[in-house]
Amino acid sequence: MDAKVSTSNLTSPEVGGLKPAKSSALLAAKSLSSQTPSTLNLNAPVAVPVVEPAPIAKPPIGEALAPGNNNEIPLDGILALFLSGMTQDIFKIKSNEDVTAEKPIKIIPKADIVADVMARRAVSDFQPYLAMIQAYPADELLLYFDAEFKYGQNFFMCTTPAAVDAILRPKTVDPVVAEEAAMAALGIKIKKKPVSKPWECLGSDKDIELEQVFNTRDPIFVKISRQRREFGKDCNFEDKETVNDPVTECKSYKDPAYEVNRLEMGMAVQCIPEMTTVGVQTNWFRPINFSVQYEPQGLSEEEKKILLDTDEVIDFVKSIADSFDQVIQQNSILNIFVDDLKEIGEEEITFEKGTHAFLQEYQSFTDLEHSKDKSISCSDWHPTLKGVVAVSCSERVTLEERIERGFVVKSKQSLILIWSFHDPIHPQLILEAPEDIISFQFNPSDPHFIAGGCINGQIVLWDISEHEDKLKTNRKRSDEEGTTGSAGGGGSGEEVDTAKSNDEPIIPIIKYIVSSSIEFSHRGAITDLQWLPSNMLIAHNGDVSENPESGNRQIVTCSADGQMCVWDTRSKKVLKELDLAWKPFLRVPLSAMDNTFDYGLTKVSLKSLDISAEAAAAAAKPKSQEKGEEGDKKKDAKKDNGTLPVSKFFTATEEGDLIFSDWVAEKSTEEKGSRVEHTYSMHFGPMSDLQRSPFFPDILLSAGGWSFHIWKEKINSGPLLSSPVSPSYIISGRWSPTRPGVFFISKADGTIEAWDILDSTYQPATVQNVASVGISHMSIKQYPGKGVHQFVAAADDEGTLHILEVPKNLTKPLKNEKHLARGFFDREVKRIAYVSERKQIRVREKGQWEQAKLEAAQALKAQAAASKKPDGEADGAAPAAAAAPAAEGSGEPVKSKEEELMDKAEQEYLKFERNFLEAEGLLKTAEI
């Protein structure tokens, strides 16, 4: 049969016509068994009979089909395609709806594909393969939904009829016939199975009939009756004399002549009993006698002295003294309890392969009414509830459009949506805001409070305590479902029915309870908002101390107006009294070091309070010693009141600069000078993200422009690590909460990169395409427990929140990974110091070289001037000229002053390089 069948005659996976194949296989097996062992070639391939399925009618077009079997799909004739959502909607091949993993096949007319390419041109996903599609011999094409991305894309197309046959009508092999043929080819005799035959009687039925017992006389029937009133009475039996009673008494007596002969009987006996194993659990109640020794049994001092003075003990001690001494020394030198096999190498981690080695999309959230076609500006995870995440949606409008609208027109869709893993279709809660929310965060200690920063510079606060039960449980909608939301701005809460039919739930819309004063708020959009750690407390003068109370009560914000503000929720006794009267108690304006312009702040990174042993020692230091110290001590030094040097902070700017500042300004420079102490200019675009490492508080990750950088505090020479220039814009960067050397980078092209600096510093470990548009915000959450519980929330510019599950190889830390990461950062610090020193040496060498060059030029000018003098003056210079050949004839070359300076600089460089290699342990023993 011809293997190439056009798609117009495609057949189903049903297999028919097996009987002829079986008969041919049996003939092949008989022919192999007829060969002698001497002529049988055991290495020859065995011809396994293949059963061709019978052709059926043409498969329907546009209907999802299942493959013929679960065999591997051949690579020949397969073309992997990535079909966008629009293409899937046009051809009705929506993933997991029109086509699924069970029925992944669809037949598409070739004319429809060609018409789509001609209509959409370059936008069509089939346009690059138009020539291949037109060259296909049949009129229909087969598309296969690749749910597991085995071929790299979400679909693949069969480009040859042979590939179509391999999927729809694969060749099958009869296992029974194949086994018989293989055994016959190896010369193994096939044992024939016993055939059951009907039972034949050989005379044993007569013996059985003789063993049977039959009744030879009629049975005797006895009827015993009793009156009903006698039922239930006790029966008393006693002896009775029958003198006057007509009843004859028959008393028992022993007859000596009585004898009963036992007849011989034939009986069948089973000699071996059936063995069974039965387990029984019983309680042990039998008491057991045991003894306890309360006092140790020892010898008295006199008995010990007599025993130690005996010759047997002395000889024994002398014989084992050397061996005992050697064992004690070995125990002191070597730890006998260390497992040497575990110390041989690193802990082996079995990295997952295939689809489990990449970020897997766990869920995706989008609301057709509130978040579709909008940009998600910020996302945050609930601190305590698992599977609860919130996003803020804002309209995608330009600055010119906002200016045309003006501040009078209020946005109708300034919302925060709170989603739950239990309901991926409807948001659990909706928080209403006065303007678009740029950044927000849950309160870590009191998660029912949410603080958000608006685009107009205001800060708002929500209270969702009345609706936390809706987030804790996965409740189904009922008619009584629905609660009352809190009021904003002094009003009462209301429940808004956003359902359009009886099948949709009622989603509560919660108004904010507090909003800051517009007059005292930021003058620009609040780009970052953070709750101050619970152990920190900032005073009105900027001093930082330990918070005596529990909980997060202060908020730090930064804005595009160049100011960082600190807010306190305890300004009023009643929280709602802060509405329209809330203002920051501390403002930190950040301008350039020359006060020429104000920075536009995008992110802020504070150093958390850490009460260490040094701080405790500083707090306990006597005041007399404090007075004796220098009076010009820096303002960030530890003081006797427990204040720690955490007033210095980093901020990211729209100008692409990372600035290091101090919010506690000196009195002498508070009015005139800038609070910026240092600036780092490495980003060629606005910085969009800044985060400290959760394992190393002095390590920071900055992202923005077309690159990201890793910084270390107190290193002003530059970043420890800089990424290559990316072809697309970098949006966000986040450290892994479980691995010190892993961080994630999101880009404007919809991809997320996972970097492992312990593996490679010049390329990412994995690159995952998440969305077709840019990733606007990214956050990571680690849940405690066994298995993989780390998720990445990636929000895009179309209003969709993608929840990605992080694989095991990016969550499970390596052995001593924290120590290795710290070693990597320390080596980079030494490298930067070495490069800085080399730059200084090069600057000095360049100055010396330029000086020598200048002196050589002056000497040449003097020599040219001397050659132009009269002959009499030239004769006086003859002895000096004759001295030069004499010096050359002495065998020692004469070096110029320039060459001597270059040799001296080279010797200094070699000496410095040798010292550096010796300090790093990189110098070989032979070179030493």
Side-chain angles (χ1 to χ4, degrees):
M1 181 180 292
D2 189 3
K4 296 183 178 180
V5 181
S6 64
T7 55
S8 59
N9 295 324
L10 298 176
T11 58
S12 71
E14 298 181 1
V15 179
L18 295 177
K19 291 184 178 181
K22 286 187 177 180
S23 60
S24 60
L26 292 174
L27 293 175
K30 289 181 180 181
S31 61
L32 290 173
S33 60
S34 62
Q35 299 178 7
T36 59
S38 60
T39 62
L40 182 62
N41 185 7
L42 299 179
N43 295 326
V46 180
V48 180
V50 177
V51 180
E52 294 287 344
I56 65 170
K58 180 178 177 180
I61 297 175
E63 182 179 348
L65 302 176
N69 54 18
N70 296 327
N71 295 342
E72 291 292 334
I73 300 174
L75 295 178
D76 296 338
I78 297 300
L79 176 61
L81 297 173
F82 177 79
L83 301 184
S84 61
M86 182 179 294
T87 305
Q88 296 178 15
D89 293 335
I90 292 173
F91 291 95
K92 296 183 179 181
I93 50 174
K94 194 73 174 179
S95 57
N96 297 324
E97 295 181 6
D98 299 329
V99 288
T100 60
E102 291 78 14
K103 293 185 177 182
I105 301 172
K106 265 209 173 182
I107 306 300
I108 306 298
K110 183 170 68 176
D112 295 350
I113 298 177
V114 174
D116 178 77
V117 173
M118 299 304 293
R120 299 167 64 194
R121 296 295 179 180
V123 181
S124 176
D125 296 333
F126 298 99
Q127 197 273 339
Y129 317 104
L130 179 60
M132 187 181 300
I133 293 172
Q134 290 178 345
Y136 189 79
D139 297 331
E140 292 86 16
L141 290 169
L142 185 141
L143 281 178
Y144 197 103
F145 171 56
D146 192 1
E148 298 179 356
F149 286 83
K150 292 183 177 180
Y151 296 90
Q153 301 295 343
N154 56 355
F155 284 88
F156 64 82
M157 181 176 63
C158 296
T159 58
T160 60
V164 176
D165 294 342
I167 295 175
L168 289 183
R169 48 187 311 274
K171 298 179 180 180
T172 59
V173 178
D174 192 346
V176 178
V177 178
E179 181 181 2
E180 292 178 357
M183 295 179 67
L186 297 175
I188 301 174
K189 294 183 179 180
I190 302 173
K191 295 182 180 180
K192 295 183 178 181
K193 295 182 180 179
V195 181
S196 60
K197 297 180 180 180
W199 180 78
E200 293 184 5
C201 180
L202 301 178
S204 59
D205 55 341
K206 297 181 180 180
D207 297 336
I208 295 173
E209 291 178 358
L210 292 176
E211 296 295 332
Q212 293 181 356
V213 178
F214 300 96
N215 295 327
T216 58
R217 59 183 179 179
D218 297 334
I220 298 175
F221 298 95
V222 177
K223 181 179 181 182
I224 300 175
S225 61
R226 192 178 185 183
Q227 293 182 0
R228 188 173 183 83
R229 64 173 177 270
E230 301 293 333
F231 288 172
K233 289 187 177 181
D234 296 335
C235 298
N236 298 323
F237 298 95
E238 60 182 6
D239 296 336
K240 183 180 180 181
E241 295 294 336
T242 58
V243 178
N244 300 323
D245 198 341
V247 179
T248 303
E249 182 181 3
C250 297
K251 295 183 178 181
S252 59
Y253 67 97
K254 185 176 182 180
D255 188 1
Y258 181 77
E259 182 179 2
V260 178
N261 295 325
R262 199 167 197 178
L263 298 177
E264 184 178 354
M265 300 176 64
M267 299 180 63
V269 179
Q270 184 177 0
C271 299
I272 301 174
E274 295 181 359
M275 300 296 294
T276 58
T277 302
V278 180
V280 180
Q281 183 178 2
T282 58
N283 295 327
W284 185 264
F285 297 105
R286 186 172 67 86
I288 300 176
N289 297 326
F290 61 91
S291 60
V292 177
Q293 182 179 357
Y294 294 93
E295 296 181 359
Q297 294 180 358
L299 301 176
S300 62
E301 296 296 333
E302 296 179 357
E303 292 176 346
K304 290 180 182 178
K305 186 175 181 181
I306 294 172
L307 182 61
L308 293 175
D309 292 339
T310 57
D311 296 338
E312 291 82 357
V313 175
I314 295 174
D315 295 340
F316 171 73
V317 172
K318 289 181 179 180
S319 61
I320 68 169
D322 297 336
S323 302
F324 192 76
D325 189 16
Q326 182 180 3
V327 172
I328 292 177
Q329 291 180 0
Q330 291 178 355
N331 291 343
S332 301
I333 297 173
L334 181 65
N335 187 4
I336 62 175
F337 299 103
V338 174
D339 190 357
D340 296 333
L341 297 178
K342 290 184 178 179
E343 301 297 329
I344 289 177
E346 297 278 342
E347 180 183 0
E348 295 183 359
I349 296 181
T350 56
F351 291 103
E352 300 179 0
K353 298 180 179 180
T355 57
H356 297 285
F358 300 93
L359 298 175
Q360 296 291 322
E361 185 163 358
Y362 187 78
Q363 276 186 352
S364 62
F365 302 98
T366 182
D367 189 86
L368 299 179
E369 182 179 358
H370 302 102
S371 66
K372 186 174 178 59
D373 297 332
K374 296 180 182 179
S375 179
I376 296 179
S377 57
C378 185
S379 63
D380 191 29
W381 295 84
H382 197 283
T384 57
L385 298 181
K386 185 176 181 181
V388 177
V389 61
V391 295
S392 60
C393 304
S394 60
E395 295 184 3
R396 294 187 297 179
V397 294
T398 61
L399 178 61
E400 292 76 8
E401 294 176 353
R402 290 188 182 274
I403 294 174
E404 290 178 0
R405 291 184 179 184
F407 294 99
V408 180
V409 180
K410 178 184 175 182
S411 176
K412 298 181 180 179
Q413 297 295 334
S414 301
L415 304 173
I416 293 180
L417 306 180
I418 300 180
W419 296 92
S420 175
F421 286 1
H422 301 301
D423 189 1
I425 301 176
H426 306 96
Q428 303 299 306
L429 299 176
I430 296 178
L431 309 183
E432 187 180 18
E435 292 291 341
D436 288 344
I437 299 296
I438 304 301
S439 62
F440 71 94
Q441 188 181 17
F442 285 92
N443 190 324
S445 59
D446 298 325
H448 58 274
F449 286 112
I450 302 175
C454 299
I455 194 172
N456 62 349
Q458 281 186 289
I459 180 174
V460 294
L461 196 66
W462 291 272
D463 185 5
I464 61 171
S465 57
E466 298 182 2
H467 303 273
E468 280 196 338
D469 294 338
K470 183 177 179 64
L471 300 177
K472 291 180 181 179
T473 57
N474 181 18
R475 302 190 310 175
K476 296 183 179 179
R477 181 187 180 275
S478 59
D479 295 337
E480 294 80 17
E481 185 182 19
T483 54
T484 303
S486 300
S492 60
E494 62 180 16
E495 179 184 299
V496 180
D497 188 359
T498 61
K500 295 182 179 180
S501 63
N502 295 328
D503 297 334
E504 296 184 4
I506 297 175
I507 304 173
I509 295 182
I510 304 173
K511 294 183 179 180
Y512 53 91
I513 60 173
V514 172
S515 63
S516 63
S517 173
I518 298 178
E519 181 181 359
F520 296 100
S521 298
H522 287 280
R523 299 189 306 271
I526 297 179
T527 54
D528 194 13
L529 180 145
Q530 298 178 13
W531 287 90
L532 207 65
S534 58
N535 61 343
M536 286 182 61
L537 183 64
I538 300 178
H540 289 269
N541 59 353
D543 292 338
V544 182
S545 60
E546 186 178 2
N547 186 12
E549 302 177 1
S550 61
N552 306 75
R553 296 295 180 264
Q554 292 182 341
I555 302 172
V556 177
T557 60
C558 69
S559 173
D561 60 358
Q563 293 185 356
M564 189 196 77
C565 297
V566 184
W567 311 70
D568 198 339
T569 57
R570 301 169 300 176
S571 302
K572 300 287 185 180
K573 294 183 179 180
V574 180
L575 187 61
K576 291 186 178 181
E577 294 180 357
L578 291 173
D579 189 29
L580 297 178
W582 196 10
K583 60 182 179 179
F585 66 88
L586 179 63
R587 288 181 181 271
V588 183
L590 298 178
S591 59
M593 299 182 69
D594 54 359
N595 288 327
T596 55
F597 65 93
D598 293 335
Y599 285 106
L601 308 181
T602 56
K603 294 291 179 180
V604 61
S605 177
L606 303 179
K607 190 174 183 180
S608 61
L609 187 65
D610 186 10
I611 304 299
S612 59
E614 274 186 26
K621 195 173 184 181
K623 293 185 178 180
S624 60
Q625 298 181 11
E626 294 285 341
K627 295 179 181 179
E629 295 180 353
E630 297 181 359
D632 57 346
K633 184 181 293 184
K634 295 184 179 180
K635 57 183 174 295
D636 59 341
K638 299 181 177 66
K639 301 178 182 179
D640 57 353
N641 59 357
T643 303
L644 298 179
V646 293
S647 60
K648 298 181 183 295
F649 61 98
F650 286 88
T651 50
T653 63
E654 293 179 346
E655 292 77 14
D657 297 337
L658 177 66
I659 59 178
F660 182 65
S661 312
D662 192 344
W663 67 61
V664 180
E666 293 285 353
K667 292 184 179 180
S668 59
T669 61
E670 186 175 1
E671 299 295 336
K672 299 180 181 179
S674 174
R675 304 194 187 193
V676 177
E677 297 184 0
H678 203 279
T679 60
Y680 309 88
S681 300
M682 291 297 295
H683 292 273
F684 300 99
M687 294 180 61
S688 54
D689 207 350
L690 179 66
Q691 188 190 23
R692 289 182 182 266
S693 172
F695 299 93
F696 311 109
D698 57 343
I699 301 297
L700 295 94
L701 173 65
S702 65
W706 292 268
S707 61
F708 65 86
H709 305 277
I710 296 179
W711 309 83
K712 181 177 172 60
E713 290 183 352
K714 300 180 182 180
I715 303 299
N716 299 330
S717 303
L720 303 183
L721 178 66
S722 296
S723 69
V725 178
S726 174
S728 60
Y729 201 84
I730 293 178
I731 302 298
S732 179
R734 285 288 182 267
W735 289 98
S736 172
T738 56
R739 291 195 58 185
V742 175
F743 55 90
F744 299 87
I745 299 295
S746 64
K747 295 185 177 182
D749 58 356
T751 60
I752 293 180
E753 296 178 351
W755 288 75
D756 187 358
I757 58 177
L758 298 182
D759 180 32
S760 176
T761 58
Y762 61 90
Q763 63 180 1
T766 59
V767 179
Q768 187 76 19
N769 189 4
V770 178
S772 59
V773 294
I775 302 296
S776 58
H777 195 271
M778 181 176 62
S779 59
I780 303 175
K781 183 66 175 178
Q782 173 72 22
Y783 290 112
K786 297 181 179 180
V788 178
H789 295 280
Q790 188 176 124
F791 298 97
V792 175
D796 60 19
D797 283 333
E798 289 186 347
T800 302
L801 178 65
H802 305 271
I803 304 298
L804 307 174
E805 185 178 0
V806 183
K808 185 177 181 181
N809 59 344
L810 295 177
T811 56
K812 185 177 181 181
L814 303 175
K815 184 179 180 181
N816 298 328
E817 183 173 353
K818 186 175 181 180
H819 177 72
L820 296 176
R822 173 55 73 183
F824 170 80
F825 294 137
D826 294 342
R827 288 194 302 271
E828 292 300 317
V829 171
K830 294 179 181 179
R831 179 188 62 82
I832 292 176
Y834 171 72
V835 172
S836 300
E837 186 68 23
R838 285 300 309 276
K839 287 182 179 179
Q840 297 176 4
I841 293 175
R842 290 300 183 189
V843 170
R844 293 197 298 267
E845 290 178 355
K846 184 178 180 181
Q848 295 172 0
W849 181 80
E850 290 179 353
Q851 182 65 24
K853 185 178 179 181
L854 182 61
E855 292 176 358
Q858 293 176 357
L860 290 175
K861 290 181 180 180
Q863 185 178 1
S867 62
K868 295 180 181 180
K869 289 182 178 182
D871 297 338
E873 297 179 2
D875 293 339
E888 295 177 359
S890 63
E892 296 180 359
V894 178
K895 294 183 179 180
S896 63
K897 189 176 182 180
E898 180 183 357
E899 292 178 348
E900 291 178 358
L901 293 175
M902 294 297 293
D903 292 343
K904 186 177 179 181
E906 185 68 22
Q907 293 297 330
E908 291 181 358
Y909 164 71
L910 293 176
K911 183 179 179 181
F912 177 78
E913 185 177 19
R914 184 180 180 86
N915 294 336
F916 175 79
L917 294 176
E918 287 180 357
E920 293 296 325
L922 302 176
L923 198 62
K924 297 181 180 179
T925 307
E927 296 179 1
I928 296 175

